[in-house]
Amino acid sequence: MLDFHPVIFVTFIFGAIVGSFLNVCIQRIPEGESVIHPPSHCPNCKAPIAFYDNIPVFSYLILRARCRACRERISPRYFAVELLTASLTVALFYKFGLGPAFLTSFIFVAALIIISFIDLDVMIIPDVISLPGIVLGLVFSLAGRYVIDDPFEIIPSPLSSLSGLLVGGGFLLAVGWIYEVFTKVEGMGGGDIKLFAMIGAFLGWQSLLATLLFASLGGAAIGLTVMVVKGVGRRYPIPFGPFLCLGALLYLFFGKELAAFYLYPP
Ligand SMILES: [Zn+2]
């Protein structure tokens, strides 16, 4: 049983507020709009959203998923992203406490959430998230070596981060190229390649195999389900980005335990 801690409330609310900002990013980045200005407004009637209607998680429930001005339905995605971000923030707090490992993982998880929901929505992985993410992963690895102390060793060494970036990006680049040569169809988007490079930069090369394994299993399971439900033969493009993000998340939370289990079975 996990002990309850009053800080959990604060952590949850902090996560929900950040989740609310991630929603703005998910909505506006594909449109090429600023995430700062203008302030939140209804996407349908453009009415500005009052502060008391902009409370993460709760406003969606109080407003019963409808805009106060025009009664248009609010996408459940807003609620889902806020609740997911808040829950993952609490989970990160339980895992790492408050410290450098929490901070770097939190930024990483926020990037994964933005990327997943944009990829689900418009089948694009935005460079404005993945490319700075690659740089940030490298910077954190240098900070982990020279500046900050990470008792959980979730921050990889600079060499592991750099090789993760190169091997991750290079591997998917090669897979995409081979797939294209044989099928004449573009299989792996450039966005997936940069995302996998970002995951390698943040978690080190050791994370890549497990992440790819989780992602492929998840992708295959969903792909087969779609085939069964919608019928075999037709191509239904399923974004791979969310599965890579999910794989990276599983590695972040359970990677060390899995590696220990694999190397030293009980
Ligand atoms: Zn409205």
PDB file of all heavy atoms in Angstrom, residues 62-99:
ATOM      1  N   ILE A  62     -18.183  20.270 -14.304  1.00  0.00           N
ATOM      2  CA  ILE A  62     -19.208  21.232 -13.873  1.00  0.00           C
ATOM      3  C   ILE A  62     -20.006  21.737 -15.078  1.00  0.00           C
ATOM      4  O   ILE A  62     -21.226  21.863 -15.028  1.00  0.00           O
ATOM      5  CB  ILE A  62     -18.548  22.402 -13.099  1.00  0.00           C
ATOM      6  CG1 ILE A  62     -18.023  21.874 -11.758  1.00  0.00           C
ATOM      7  CG2 ILE A  62     -19.529  23.550 -12.891  1.00  0.00           C
ATOM      8  CD1 ILE A  62     -17.035  22.787 -11.077  1.00  0.00           C
ATOM      9  N   LEU A  63     -19.292  21.986 -16.195  1.00  0.00           N
ATOM     10  CA  LEU A  63     -19.965  22.490 -17.405  1.00  0.00           C
ATOM     11  C   LEU A  63     -20.642  21.358 -18.191  1.00  0.00           C
ATOM     12  O   LEU A  63     -21.267  21.597 -19.223  1.00  0.00           O
ATOM     13  CB  LEU A  63     -18.957  23.196 -18.309  1.00  0.00           C
ATOM     14  CG  LEU A  63     -18.388  24.522 -17.783  1.00  0.00           C
ATOM     15  CD1 LEU A  63     -17.204  24.959 -18.626  1.00  0.00           C
ATOM     16  CD2 LEU A  63     -19.469  25.595 -17.788  1.00  0.00           C
ATOM     17  N   ARG A  64     -20.506  20.123 -17.696  1.00  0.00           N
ATOM     18  CA  ARG A  64     -21.049  18.930 -18.354  1.00  0.00           C
ATOM     19  C   ARG A  64     -20.638  18.895 -19.822  1.00  0.00           C
ATOM     20  O   ARG A  64     -21.444  18.654 -20.723  1.00  0.00           O
ATOM     21  CB  ARG A  64     -22.575  18.884 -18.227  1.00  0.00           C
ATOM     22  CG  ARG A  64     -22.993  18.875 -16.772  1.00  0.00           C
ATOM     23  CD  ARG A  64     -24.206  17.989 -16.569  1.00  0.00           C
ATOM     24  NE  ARG A  64     -24.799  18.271 -15.283  1.00  0.00           N
ATOM     25  CZ  ARG A  64     -26.070  18.603 -15.119  1.00  0.00           C
ATOM     26  NH1 ARG A  64     -26.877  18.686 -16.139  1.00  0.00           N
ATOM     27  NH2 ARG A  64     -26.544  18.826 -13.921  1.00  0.00           N
ATOM     28  N   ALA A  65     -19.348  19.184 -20.053  1.00  0.00           N
ATOM     29  CA  ALA A  65     -18.729  19.029 -21.373  1.00  0.00           C
ATOM     30  C   ALA A  65     -19.331  19.941 -22.435  1.00  0.00           C
ATOM     31  O   ALA A  65     -19.323  19.614 -23.617  1.00  0.00           O
ATOM     32  CB  ALA A  65     -18.788  17.571 -21.824  1.00  0.00           C
ATOM     33  N   ARG A  66     -19.895  21.092 -22.007  1.00  0.00           N
ATOM     34  CA  ARG A  66     -20.432  22.030 -23.000  1.00  0.00           C
ATOM     35  C   ARG A  66     -19.941  23.439 -22.736  1.00  0.00           C
ATOM     36  O   ARG A  66     -19.756  23.842 -21.595  1.00  0.00           O
ATOM     37  CB  ARG A  66     -21.961  22.018 -22.989  1.00  0.00           C
ATOM     38  CG  ARG A  66     -22.532  20.743 -23.563  1.00  0.00           C
ATOM     39  CD  ARG A  66     -24.020  20.828 -23.785  1.00  0.00           C
ATOM     40  NE  ARG A  66     -24.534  19.540 -24.236  1.00  0.00           N
ATOM     41  CZ  ARG A  66     -24.495  19.128 -25.497  1.00  0.00           C
ATOM     42  NH1 ARG A  66     -24.010  19.902 -26.440  1.00  0.00           N
ATOM     43  NH2 ARG A  66     -24.961  17.935 -25.829  1.00  0.00           N
ATOM     44  N   CYS A  67     -19.718  24.216 -23.836  1.00  0.00           N
ATOM     45  CA  CYS A  67     -19.313  25.612 -23.717  1.00  0.00           C
ATOM     46  C   CYS A  67     -20.441  26.398 -23.049  1.00  0.00           C
ATOM     47  O   CYS A  67     -21.608  26.235 -23.396  1.00  0.00           O
ATOM     48  CB  CYS A  67     -19.025  26.181 -25.108  1.00  0.00           C
ATOM     49  SG  CYS A  67     -18.853  27.975 -25.136  1.00  0.00           S
ATOM     50  N   ARG A  68     -20.087  27.270 -22.083  1.00  0.00           N
ATOM     51  CA  ARG A  68     -21.111  28.038 -21.374  1.00  0.00           C
ATOM     52  C   ARG A  68     -21.835  28.998 -22.322  1.00  0.00           C
ATOM     53  O   ARG A  68     -23.032  29.240 -22.173  1.00  0.00           O
ATOM     54  CB  ARG A  68     -20.466  28.833 -20.229  1.00  0.00           C
ATOM     55  CG  ARG A  68     -21.488  29.444 -19.277  1.00  0.00           C
ATOM     56  CD  ARG A  68     -20.821  30.293 -18.213  1.00  0.00           C
ATOM     57  NE  ARG A  68     -20.152  29.537 -17.168  1.00  0.00           N
ATOM     58  CZ  ARG A  68     -20.769  28.970 -16.117  1.00  0.00           C
ATOM     59  NH1 ARG A  68     -22.058  29.075 -15.988  1.00  0.00           N
ATOM     60  NH2 ARG A  68     -20.076  28.322 -15.212  1.00  0.00           N
ATOM     61  N   ALA A  69     -21.106  29.530 -23.322  1.00  0.00           N
ATOM     62  CA  ALA A  69     -21.694  30.527 -24.211  1.00  0.00           C
ATOM     63  C   ALA A  69     -22.568  29.892 -25.297  1.00  0.00           C
ATOM     64  O   ALA A  69     -23.719  30.276 -25.468  1.00  0.00           O
ATOM     65  CB  ALA A  69     -20.596  31.377 -24.844  1.00  0.00           C
ATOM     66  N   CYS A  70     -22.013  28.927 -26.046  1.00  0.00           N
ATOM     67  CA  CYS A  70     -22.740  28.422 -27.222  1.00  0.00           C
ATOM     68  C   CYS A  70     -23.259  27.003 -27.054  1.00  0.00           C
ATOM     69  O   CYS A  70     -23.919  26.474 -27.952  1.00  0.00           O
ATOM     70  CB  CYS A  70     -21.853  28.498 -28.466  1.00  0.00           C
ATOM     71  SG  CYS A  70     -20.483  27.322 -28.445  1.00  0.00           S
ATOM     72  N   ARG A  71     -23.000  26.354 -25.924  1.00  0.00           N
ATOM     73  CA  ARG A  71     -23.459  24.994 -25.619  1.00  0.00           C
ATOM     74  C   ARG A  71     -22.859  23.933 -26.540  1.00  0.00           C
ATOM     75  O   ARG A  71     -23.326  22.788 -26.553  1.00  0.00           O
ATOM     76  CB  ARG A  71     -25.004  24.876 -25.669  1.00  0.00           C
ATOM     77  CG  ARG A  71     -25.772  25.936 -24.888  1.00  0.00           C
ATOM     78  CD  ARG A  71     -25.376  26.037 -23.447  1.00  0.00           C
ATOM     79  NE  ARG A  71     -25.598  24.812 -22.679  1.00  0.00           N
ATOM     80  CZ  ARG A  71     -25.004  24.520 -21.524  1.00  0.00           C
ATOM     81  NH1 ARG A  71     -24.139  25.370 -21.012  1.00  0.00           N
ATOM     82  NH2 ARG A  71     -25.250  23.415 -20.891  1.00  0.00           N
ATOM     83  N   GLU A  72     -21.847  24.304 -27.355  1.00  0.00           N
ATOM     84  CA  GLU A  72     -21.168  23.303 -28.188  1.00  0.00           C
ATOM     85  C   GLU A  72     -20.438  22.320 -27.277  1.00  0.00           C
ATOM     86  O   GLU A  72     -19.916  22.706 -26.228  1.00  0.00           O
ATOM     87  CB  GLU A  72     -20.169  24.018 -29.124  1.00  0.00           C
ATOM     88  CG  GLU A  72     -19.329  23.115 -29.998  1.00  0.00           C
ATOM     89  CD  GLU A  72     -20.084  22.534 -31.205  1.00  0.00           C
ATOM     90  OE1 GLU A  72     -21.230  22.950 -31.444  1.00  0.00           O
ATOM     91  OE2 GLU A  72     -19.502  21.669 -31.881  1.00  0.00           O
ATOM     92  N   ARG A  73     -20.387  21.049 -27.700  1.00  0.00           N
ATOM     93  CA  ARG A  73     -19.684  20.037 -26.899  1.00  0.00           C
ATOM     94  C   ARG A  73     -18.196  20.337 -26.828  1.00  0.00           C
ATOM     95  O   ARG A  73     -17.582  20.689 -27.821  1.00  0.00           O
ATOM     96  CB  ARG A  73     -19.869  18.644 -27.512  1.00  0.00           C
ATOM     97  CG  ARG A  73     -21.127  17.949 -27.071  1.00  0.00           C
ATOM     98  CD  ARG A  73     -21.058  16.444 -27.291  1.00  0.00           C
ATOM     99  NE  ARG A  73     -20.600  15.757 -26.082  1.00  0.00           N
ATOM    100  CZ  ARG A  73     -21.346  15.578 -24.992  1.00  0.00           C
ATOM    101  NH1 ARG A  73     -22.562  16.076 -24.928  1.00  0.00           N
ATOM    102  NH2 ARG A  73     -20.867  14.938 -23.957  1.00  0.00           N
ATOM    103  N   ILE A  74     -17.604  20.171 -25.645  1.00  0.00           N
ATOM    104  CA  ILE A  74     -16.159  20.290 -25.484  1.00  0.00           C
ATOM    105  C   ILE A  74     -15.583  18.880 -25.643  1.00  0.00           C
ATOM    106  O   ILE A  74     -16.106  17.932 -25.053  1.00  0.00           O
ATOM    107  CB  ILE A  74     -15.791  20.853 -24.093  1.00  0.00           C
ATOM    108  CG1 ILE A  74     -16.502  22.193 -23.841  1.00  0.00           C
ATOM    109  CG2 ILE A  74     -14.283  21.004 -23.935  1.00  0.00           C
ATOM    110  CD1 ILE A  74     -16.443  22.649 -22.379  1.00  0.00           C
ATOM    111  N   SER A  75     -14.523  18.757 -26.438  1.00  0.00           N
ATOM    112  CA  SER A  75     -13.928  17.443 -26.687  1.00  0.00           C
ATOM    113  C   SER A  75     -13.481  16.801 -25.372  1.00  0.00           C
ATOM    114  O   SER A  75     -12.866  17.457 -24.528  1.00  0.00           O
ATOM    115  CB  SER A  75     -12.730  17.589 -27.623  1.00  0.00           C
ATOM    116  OG  SER A  75     -11.936  16.419 -27.567  1.00  0.00           O
ATOM    117  N   PRO A  76     -13.794  15.502 -25.185  1.00  0.00           N
ATOM    118  CA  PRO A  76     -13.340  14.807 -23.965  1.00  0.00           C
ATOM    119  C   PRO A  76     -11.814  14.761 -23.861  1.00  0.00           C
ATOM    120  O   PRO A  76     -11.274  14.446 -22.801  1.00  0.00           O
ATOM    121  CB  PRO A  76     -13.921  13.395 -24.108  1.00  0.00           C
ATOM    122  CG  PRO A  76     -14.357  13.267 -25.519  1.00  0.00           C
ATOM    123  CD  PRO A  76     -14.601  14.638 -26.049  1.00  0.00           C
ATOM    124  N   ARG A  77     -11.131  15.095 -24.979  1.00  0.00           N
ATOM    125  CA  ARG A  77      -9.669  15.098 -24.949  1.00  0.00           C
ATOM    126  C   ARG A  77      -9.138  16.060 -23.881  1.00  0.00           C
ATOM    127  O   ARG A  77      -8.156  15.771 -23.217  1.00  0.00           O
ATOM    128  CB  ARG A  77      -9.123  15.498 -26.326  1.00  0.00           C
ATOM    129  CG  ARG A  77      -7.627  15.309 -26.438  1.00  0.00           C
ATOM    130  CD  ARG A  77      -7.122  15.764 -27.782  1.00  0.00           C
ATOM    131  NE  ARG A  77      -7.208  17.203 -27.925  1.00  0.00           N
ATOM    132  CZ  ARG A  77      -7.159  17.834 -29.094  1.00  0.00           C
ATOM    133  NH1 ARG A  77      -7.061  17.161 -30.202  1.00  0.00           N
ATOM    134  NH2 ARG A  77      -7.222  19.150 -29.142  1.00  0.00           N
ATOM    135  N   TYR A  78      -9.820  17.217 -23.712  1.00  0.00           N
ATOM    136  CA  TYR A  78      -9.353  18.202 -22.717  1.00  0.00           C
ATOM    137  C   TYR A  78      -9.318  17.577 -21.322  1.00  0.00           C
ATOM    138  O   TYR A  78      -8.350  17.686 -20.587  1.00  0.00           O
ATOM    139  CB  TYR A  78     -10.254  19.443 -22.731  1.00  0.00           C
ATOM    140  CG  TYR A  78     -10.061  20.276 -23.968  1.00  0.00           C
ATOM    141  CD1 TYR A  78     -10.833  20.068 -25.100  1.00  0.00           C
ATOM    142  CD2 TYR A  78      -9.068  21.251 -24.012  1.00  0.00           C
ATOM    143  CE1 TYR A  78     -10.640  20.814 -26.247  1.00  0.00           C
ATOM    144  CE2 TYR A  78      -8.869  22.004 -25.146  1.00  0.00           C
ATOM    145  CZ  TYR A  78      -9.656  21.781 -26.264  1.00  0.00           C
ATOM    146  OH  TYR A  78      -9.440  22.505 -27.402  1.00  0.00           O
ATOM    147  N   PHE A  79     -10.417  16.913 -21.005  1.00  0.00           N
ATOM    148  CA  PHE A  79     -10.531  16.271 -19.697  1.00  0.00           C
ATOM    149  C   PHE A  79      -9.497  15.148 -19.570  1.00  0.00           C
ATOM    150  O   PHE A  79      -8.800  15.032 -18.565  1.00  0.00           O
ATOM    151  CB  PHE A  79     -11.963  15.729 -19.544  1.00  0.00           C
ATOM    152  CG  PHE A  79     -12.207  15.029 -18.245  1.00  0.00           C
ATOM    153  CD1 PHE A  79     -12.285  15.750 -17.062  1.00  0.00           C
ATOM    154  CD2 PHE A  79     -12.368  13.647 -18.204  1.00  0.00           C
ATOM    155  CE1 PHE A  79     -12.529  15.103 -15.858  1.00  0.00           C
ATOM    156  CE2 PHE A  79     -12.604  13.002 -17.006  1.00  0.00           C
ATOM    157  CZ  PHE A  79     -12.681  13.731 -15.835  1.00  0.00           C
ATOM    158  N   ALA A  80      -9.382  14.331 -20.636  1.00  0.00           N
ATOM    159  CA  ALA A  80      -8.478  13.174 -20.606  1.00  0.00           C
ATOM    160  C   ALA A  80      -7.028  13.622 -20.407  1.00  0.00           C
ATOM    161  O   ALA A  80      -6.294  13.044 -19.594  1.00  0.00           O
ATOM    162  CB  ALA A  80      -8.626  12.367 -21.895  1.00  0.00           C
ATOM    163  N   VAL A  81      -6.613  14.665 -21.138  1.00  0.00           N
ATOM    164  CA  VAL A  81      -5.217  15.112 -21.052  1.00  0.00           C
ATOM    165  C   VAL A  81      -4.926  15.683 -19.661  1.00  0.00           C
ATOM    166  O   VAL A  81      -3.865  15.424 -19.080  1.00  0.00           O
ATOM    167  CB  VAL A  81      -4.913  16.152 -22.160  1.00  0.00           C
ATOM    168  CG1 VAL A  81      -3.585  16.856 -21.916  1.00  0.00           C
ATOM    169  CG2 VAL A  81      -4.896  15.473 -23.523  1.00  0.00           C
ATOM    170  N   GLU A  82      -5.883  16.448 -19.100  1.00  0.00           N
ATOM    171  CA  GLU A  82      -5.670  17.020 -17.761  1.00  0.00           C
ATOM    172  C   GLU A  82      -5.567  15.931 -16.702  1.00  0.00           C
ATOM    173  O   GLU A  82      -4.667  15.937 -15.862  1.00  0.00           O
ATOM    174  CB  GLU A  82      -6.809  17.994 -17.424  1.00  0.00           C
ATOM    175  CG  GLU A  82      -6.678  19.319 -18.161  1.00  0.00           C
ATOM    176  CD  GLU A  82      -7.966  20.122 -18.231  1.00  0.00           C
ATOM    177  OE1 GLU A  82      -8.993  19.682 -17.665  1.00  0.00           O
ATOM    178  OE2 GLU A  82      -7.939  21.191 -18.865  1.00  0.00           O
ATOM    179  N   LEU A  83      -6.493  14.963 -16.783  1.00  0.00           N
ATOM    180  CA  LEU A  83      -6.497  13.883 -15.795  1.00  0.00           C
ATOM    181  C   LEU A  83      -5.258  13.001 -15.949  1.00  0.00           C
ATOM    182  O   LEU A  83      -4.625  12.610 -14.957  1.00  0.00           O
ATOM    183  CB  LEU A  83      -7.777  13.050 -15.962  1.00  0.00           C
ATOM    184  CG  LEU A  83      -8.119  12.109 -14.815  1.00  0.00           C
ATOM    185  CD1 LEU A  83      -8.332  12.905 -13.521  1.00  0.00           C
ATOM    186  CD2 LEU A  83      -9.374  11.303 -15.139  1.00  0.00           C
ATOM    187  N   LEU A  84      -4.876  12.719 -17.198  1.00  0.00           N
ATOM    188  CA  LEU A  84      -3.698  11.882 -17.458  1.00  0.00           C
ATOM    189  C   LEU A  84      -2.423  12.565 -16.953  1.00  0.00           C
ATOM    190  O   LEU A  84      -1.598  11.942 -16.277  1.00  0.00           O
ATOM    191  CB  LEU A  84      -3.581  11.610 -18.966  1.00  0.00           C
ATOM    192  CG  LEU A  84      -2.374  10.790 -19.408  1.00  0.00           C
ATOM    193  CD1 LEU A  84      -2.511   9.342 -18.944  1.00  0.00           C
ATOM    194  CD2 LEU A  84      -2.219  10.822 -20.928  1.00  0.00           C
ATOM    195  N   THR A  85      -2.287  13.857 -17.271  1.00  0.00           N
ATOM    196  CA  THR A  85      -1.085  14.575 -16.834  1.00  0.00           C
ATOM    197  C   THR A  85      -1.014  14.622 -15.314  1.00  0.00           C
ATOM    198  O   THR A  85       0.049  14.380 -14.720  1.00  0.00           O
ATOM    199  CB  THR A  85      -1.076  16.017 -17.401  1.00  0.00           C
ATOM    200  OG1 THR A  85      -1.344  15.964 -18.803  1.00  0.00           O
ATOM    201  CG2 THR A  85       0.266  16.690 -17.170  1.00  0.00           C
ATOM    202  N   ALA A  86      -2.164  14.918 -14.672  1.00  0.00           N
ATOM    203  CA  ALA A  86      -2.197  14.977 -13.209  1.00  0.00           C
ATOM    204  C   ALA A  86      -1.831  13.612 -12.613  1.00  0.00           C
ATOM    205  O   ALA A  86      -1.030  13.526 -11.672  1.00  0.00           O
ATOM    206  CB  ALA A  86      -3.584  15.412 -12.740  1.00  0.00           C
ATOM    207  N   SER A  87      -2.391  12.526 -13.172  1.00  0.00           N
ATOM    208  CA  SER A  87      -2.130  11.191 -12.634  1.00  0.00           C
ATOM    209  C   SER A  87      -0.670  10.801 -12.817  1.00  0.00           C
ATOM    210  O   SER A  87      -0.050  10.235 -11.907  1.00  0.00           O
ATOM    211  CB  SER A  87      -3.013  10.150 -13.329  1.00  0.00           C
ATOM    212  OG  SER A  87      -4.344  10.575 -13.333  1.00  0.00           O
ATOM    213  N   LEU A  88      -0.109  11.099 -13.993  1.00  0.00           N
ATOM    214  CA  LEU A  88       1.300  10.747 -14.233  1.00  0.00           C
ATOM    215  C   LEU A  88       2.230  11.576 -13.354  1.00  0.00           C
ATOM    216  O   LEU A  88       3.275  11.090 -12.917  1.00  0.00           O
ATOM    217  CB  LEU A  88       1.649  10.931 -15.716  1.00  0.00           C
ATOM    218  CG  LEU A  88       1.087   9.853 -16.654  1.00  0.00           C
ATOM    219  CD1 LEU A  88       1.336  10.219 -18.110  1.00  0.00           C
ATOM    220  CD2 LEU A  88       1.710   8.491 -16.350  1.00  0.00           C
ATOM    221  N   THR A  89       1.845  12.839 -13.068  1.00  0.00           N
ATOM    222  CA  THR A  89       2.664  13.667 -12.179  1.00  0.00           C
ATOM    223  C   THR A  89       2.710  13.052 -10.780  1.00  0.00           C
ATOM    224  O   THR A  89       3.775  12.971 -10.161  1.00  0.00           O
ATOM    225  CB  THR A  89       2.091  15.104 -12.102  1.00  0.00           C
ATOM    226  OG1 THR A  89       1.904  15.587 -13.431  1.00  0.00           O
ATOM    227  CG2 THR A  89       3.040  16.037 -11.376  1.00  0.00           C
ATOM    228  N   VAL A  90       1.539  12.591 -10.302  1.00  0.00           N
ATOM    229  CA  VAL A  90       1.493  11.927  -8.992  1.00  0.00           C
ATOM    230  C   VAL A  90       2.335  10.644  -9.025  1.00  0.00           C
ATOM    231  O   VAL A  90       3.106  10.366  -8.100  1.00  0.00           O
ATOM    232  CB  VAL A  90       0.029  11.621  -8.598  1.00  0.00           C
ATOM    233  CG1 VAL A  90      -0.021  10.732  -7.364  1.00  0.00           C
ATOM    234  CG2 VAL A  90      -0.734  12.921  -8.348  1.00  0.00           C
ATOM    235  N   ALA A  91       2.222   9.880 -10.113  1.00  0.00           N
ATOM    236  CA  ALA A  91       2.998   8.631 -10.236  1.00  0.00           C
ATOM    237  C   ALA A  91       4.498   8.923 -10.231  1.00  0.00           C
ATOM    238  O   ALA A  91       5.281   8.209  -9.591  1.00  0.00           O
ATOM    239  CB  ALA A  91       2.599   7.896 -11.514  1.00  0.00           C
ATOM    240  N   LEU A  92       4.910   9.995 -10.923  1.00  0.00           N
ATOM    241  CA  LEU A  92       6.331  10.369 -10.942  1.00  0.00           C
ATOM    242  C   LEU A  92       6.792  10.786  -9.548  1.00  0.00           C
ATOM    243  O   LEU A  92       7.906  10.483  -9.135  1.00  0.00           O
ATOM    244  CB  LEU A  92       6.574  11.519 -11.928  1.00  0.00           C
ATOM    245  CG  LEU A  92       6.556  11.177 -13.418  1.00  0.00           C
ATOM    246  CD1 LEU A  92       6.641  12.447 -14.258  1.00  0.00           C
ATOM    247  CD2 LEU A  92       7.683  10.224 -13.782  1.00  0.00           C
ATOM    248  N   PHE A  93       5.898  11.477  -8.823  1.00  0.00           N
ATOM    249  CA  PHE A  93       6.246  11.888  -7.459  1.00  0.00           C
ATOM    250  C   PHE A  93       6.449  10.667  -6.565  1.00  0.00           C
ATOM    251  O   PHE A  93       7.400  10.599  -5.786  1.00  0.00           O
ATOM    252  CB  PHE A  93       5.156  12.809  -6.897  1.00  0.00           C
ATOM    253  CG  PHE A  93       5.371  13.158  -5.454  1.00  0.00           C
ATOM    254  CD1 PHE A  93       6.344  14.078  -5.086  1.00  0.00           C
ATOM    255  CD2 PHE A  93       4.623  12.540  -4.453  1.00  0.00           C
ATOM    256  CE1 PHE A  93       6.561  14.392  -3.752  1.00  0.00           C
ATOM    257  CE2 PHE A  93       4.830  12.849  -3.121  1.00  0.00           C
ATOM    258  CZ  PHE A  93       5.799  13.779  -2.764  1.00  0.00           C
ATOM    259  N   TYR A  94       5.551   9.675  -6.685  1.00  0.00           N
ATOM    260  CA  TYR A  94       5.713   8.447  -5.896  1.00  0.00           C
ATOM    261  C   TYR A  94       7.011   7.733  -6.244  1.00  0.00           C
ATOM    262  O   TYR A  94       7.688   7.191  -5.389  1.00  0.00           O
ATOM    263  CB  TYR A  94       4.534   7.495  -6.122  1.00  0.00           C
ATOM    264  CG  TYR A  94       3.430   7.672  -5.121  1.00  0.00           C
ATOM    265  CD1 TYR A  94       2.170   8.090  -5.507  1.00  0.00           C
ATOM    266  CD2 TYR A  94       3.658   7.426  -3.762  1.00  0.00           C
ATOM    267  CE1 TYR A  94       1.151   8.262  -4.584  1.00  0.00           C
ATOM    268  CE2 TYR A  94       2.653   7.591  -2.828  1.00  0.00           C
ATOM    269  CZ  TYR A  94       1.399   8.010  -3.246  1.00  0.00           C
ATOM    270  OH  TYR A  94       0.404   8.176  -2.333  1.00  0.00           O
ATOM    271  N   LYS A  95       7.359   7.759  -7.526  1.00  0.00           N
ATOM    272  CA  LYS A  95       8.538   7.018  -7.978  1.00  0.00           C
ATOM    273  C   LYS A  95       9.833   7.734  -7.597  1.00  0.00           C
ATOM    274  O   LYS A  95      10.770   7.112  -7.118  1.00  0.00           O
ATOM    275  CB  LYS A  95       8.461   6.819  -9.498  1.00  0.00           C
ATOM    276  CG  LYS A  95       9.685   6.137 -10.080  1.00  0.00           C
ATOM    277  CD  LYS A  95       9.348   4.905 -10.886  1.00  0.00           C
ATOM    278  CE  LYS A  95      10.585   4.230 -11.428  1.00  0.00           C
ATOM    279  NZ  LYS A  95      10.803   2.908 -10.894  1.00  0.00           N
ATOM    280  N   PHE A  96       9.870   9.055  -7.818  1.00  0.00           N
ATOM    281  CA  PHE A  96      11.143   9.768  -7.708  1.00  0.00           C
ATOM    282  C   PHE A  96      11.207  10.769  -6.560  1.00  0.00           C
ATOM    283  O   PHE A  96      12.277  11.317  -6.297  1.00  0.00           O
ATOM    284  CB  PHE A  96      11.445  10.521  -9.015  1.00  0.00           C
ATOM    285  CG  PHE A  96      11.591   9.623 -10.211  1.00  0.00           C
ATOM    286  CD1 PHE A  96      10.812   9.814 -11.344  1.00  0.00           C
ATOM    287  CD2 PHE A  96      12.499   8.580 -10.204  1.00  0.00           C
ATOM    288  CE1 PHE A  96      10.950   8.989 -12.451  1.00  0.00           C
ATOM    289  CE2 PHE A  96      12.643   7.749 -11.311  1.00  0.00           C
ATOM    290  CZ  PHE A  96      11.863   7.953 -12.433  1.00  0.00           C
ATOM    291  N   GLY A  97      10.082  11.069  -5.892  1.00  0.00           N
ATOM    292  CA  GLY A  97      10.086  12.172  -4.945  1.00  0.00           C
ATOM    293  C   GLY A  97      10.297  13.472  -5.696  1.00  0.00           C
ATOM    294  O   GLY A  97      10.164  13.508  -6.921  1.00  0.00           O
ATOM    295  N   LEU A  98      10.603  14.553  -4.966  1.00  0.00           N
ATOM    296  CA  LEU A  98      10.864  15.823  -5.655  1.00  0.00           C
ATOM    297  C   LEU A  98      12.373  15.980  -5.802  1.00  0.00           C
ATOM    298  O   LEU A  98      13.080  16.052  -4.802  1.00  0.00           O
ATOM    299  CB  LEU A  98      10.269  16.998  -4.887  1.00  0.00           C
ATOM    300  CG  LEU A  98       8.743  17.111  -4.914  1.00  0.00           C
ATOM    301  CD1 LEU A  98       8.283  18.299  -4.086  1.00  0.00           C
ATOM    302  CD2 LEU A  98       8.203  17.209  -6.334  1.00  0.00           C
ATOM    303  N   GLY A  99      12.847  16.009  -7.019  1.00  0.00           N
ATOM    304  CA  GLY A  99      14.285  16.143  -7.243  1.00  0.00           C
ATOM    305  C   GLY A  99      14.572  16.181  -8.729  1.00  0.00           C
ATOM    306  O   GLY A  99      13.643  16.283  -9.532  1.00  0.00           O
TER     307      GLY A  99
END
